[in-house]
Amino acid sequence: MRRFLVLAAAAATLACSLTVRADDTLVIYSERREPLFVPILDAWTEQTGVKVQLLTDQAQVLTERILAEGERGRADVMVTVDAGNLWHATERGALAPIQSPTLAAIVPEDFRDPDGRWYAVTQRARVIVHSTDRVQPGELSTYEDLADEKWRGRLCLRTSKKVYNQSLVAVLIDRHGEQEAERIVRGWVANLAAPPTTDDNAVINAIAAGQCDVGIVNTYYYGRIVNRQGEIPVAIFYPNQGDGEGGVHVNVTGAGIAAHSKQPELAQRFIEWMLSEPTQRLFADIDFEFPVNPDVAPNPAVAAWGTFRPDDRNISSAGRLQAAAVRLMDRAGYR
Ligand code: FE
């Protein structure tokens, strides 16, 4: 799992970090799938001449590594999926605050840490997907409604071990309180057509294959499958669009400066560059995610799915309530 990928010409090694000149190489710790991130880093190196070393691992491992390495550490930037992971990194003290008028102007308030320790670079929506053969959009409404017994034996969900579902349930707790959130999750479990899957692709494929009728996934998984296979008998439904229903659950990939970076100006420049219009377009086209920069339109394939009202609360609540969400899903028998 742990890989150290040296991009561009191999520069200094970890062992002789003292010989690394500032502005020579930017060291990035990342939990983001490498095939989706490397083209972005290649563009950065091409445009700026600054090389990149990329260490990919799970966010919590990277957070602890930044702390354990302390002043000896070489990490400049941390990039990770999920607001809960970003919240955890700030709680542990792994990220340094950034004062950037550029970032403050581009990144909406809901998509950054109130103290400037991380900024979203892409946003992703976690939505309902349904069979176009067996479910009419008019039968669907909210995440909460998937607990209704009309969906008995018809629901597919990814495992509760995935942080995406932990964040979604954290939002349900924030919105409804623990008791009601637990009732909803118990309803989901009662409605499962099959044991929870290991990833979002399996949920979409199971619906296409007729094993279940509805599920919850991040939109870009759907975008990838359609891009690869062409049309499938599965469609996206944007839930919770009615008054008082809260909106679609949106999560992010975000970036911050590692607490002990020796070149925070360069790290900040990199994060600002990721939010610039050309780079945001690159992100949008590589993986069917939604740009964070409001001046950049989504990829046409994504725009074709229509528009939606996102959840109105700051996504940091996902982090704050994630531990409670994990306990709740365990009690409810969601594996
Ligand atoms: Fe993902």
Side-chain angles (χ1 to χ4, degrees):
M1 183 79 195
R2 174 174 297 179
R3 275 171 297 167
F4 212 137
L5 184 70
V6 180
L7 296 165
T13 66
L14 268 176
C16 51
S17 58
L18 286 175
T19 64
V20 174
R21 281 173 292 130
D23 287 25
D24 194 25
T25 301
L26 193 67
V27 178
I28 301 175
Y29 285 10
S30 161
E31 178 178 344
R32 187 172 165 85
R33 286 184 59 222
E34 282 180 12
L36 304 175
F37 198 25
V38 168
I40 304 280
L41 302 178
D42 286 345
W44 157 261
T45 300
E46 196 176 306
Q47 288 170 33
T48 63
V50 178
K51 294 169 205 139
V52 167
Q53 287 191 340
L54 179 66
L55 174 68
T56 298
D57 210 323
Q58 291 176 350
Q60 303 215 354
V61 174
L62 298 173
T63 293
E64 294 311 314
R65 187 173 166 138
I66 287 171
L67 296 169
E69 289 172 343
E71 292 296 334
R72 291 174 293 112
R74 294 188 57 228
D76 296 306
V77 176
M78 178 169 166
V79 176
T80 178
V81 296
D82 192 78
N85 286 335
L86 293 160
W87 181 87
H88 179 80
T90 59
E91 283 293 296
R92 297 283 292 130
L95 302 177
I98 304 175
Q99 305 300 334
S100 163
T102 305
L103 292 174
I106 294 174
V107 181
E109 238 170 87
D110 280 352
F111 289 111
R112 50 181 150 104
D113 175 53
D115 298 322
R117 293 166 295 181
W118 60 262
Y119 293 80
V121 293
T122 72
Q123 46 168 324
R124 53 267 299 281
R126 196 152 186 78
V127 303
I128 294 177
V129 277
H130 65 92
S131 160
T132 51
D133 298 329
R134 298 178 300 281
V135 178
Q136 295 306 309
E139 300 173 68
L140 293 161
S141 57
T142 62
Y143 304 105
E144 291 87 339
D145 175 68
L146 295 181
D148 189 282
E149 62 182 23
K150 75 177 181 232
W151 301 112
R152 193 62 42 92
R154 302 174 71 190
L155 175 65
C156 276
L157 292 175
R158 182 179 189 160
T159 171
S160 64
K161 309 285 180 291
K162 184 63 188 180
V163 72
Y164 302 158
N165 286 330
Q166 296 167 5
S167 289
L168 175 60
V169 171
V171 167
L172 291 180
I173 294 173
D174 199 25
R175 198 179 281 162
H176 301 293
E178 287 225 18
Q179 216 177 349
E180 175 62 6
E182 185 168 335
R183 190 196 64 76
I184 294 162
V185 173
R186 283 184 184 278
W188 289 354
V189 172
N191 288 344
L192 286 175
T197 64
T198 51
D199 65 27
D200 283 13
N201 293 317
V203 170
I204 296 166
N205 291 334
I207 295 172
Q211 289 157 4
C212 40
D213 296 341
V214 287
I216 298 176
V217 302
N218 284 359
T219 50
Y220 55 86
Y221 290 95
Y222 178 83
R224 285 179 202 159
I225 289 179
V226 171
N227 185 50
R228 224 174 22 237
Q229 293 173 214
E231 283 308 303
I232 54 172
V234 178
I236 284 176
F237 177 84
Y238 288 126
N240 296 60
Q241 297 298 284
D243 280 346
E245 290 177 352
V248 166
H249 173 57
V250 170
N251 208 322
V252 299
T253 294
I257 298 181
H260 305 288
S261 170
K262 311 291 186 301
Q263 37 188 8
E265 297 82 10
L266 181 64
Q268 178 171 332
R269 203 173 127 215
F270 172 71
I271 295 172
E272 290 170 349
W273 175 86
M274 284 199 291
L275 269 308
S276 69
E277 286 189 35
T279 316
Q280 285 283 289
R281 231 170 277 128
L282 203 53
F283 270 117
D285 291 342
I286 286 173
D287 196 36
F288 308 105
E289 287 178 81
F290 298 89
V292 166
N293 185 327
D295 292 334
V296 178
N299 177 284
V302 173
W305 303 334
T307 56
F308 62 87
R309 193 166 55 81
D311 195 350
D312 40 20
R313 65 200 64 223
N314 190 298
I315 43 174
S316 56
S317 62
R320 195 165 42 79
L321 292 166
Q322 217 164 58
V326 170
R327 289 194 298 271
L328 186 156
M329 290 191 284
D330 190 49
R331 286 199 302 277
Y334 180 4
R335 300 292 170 238

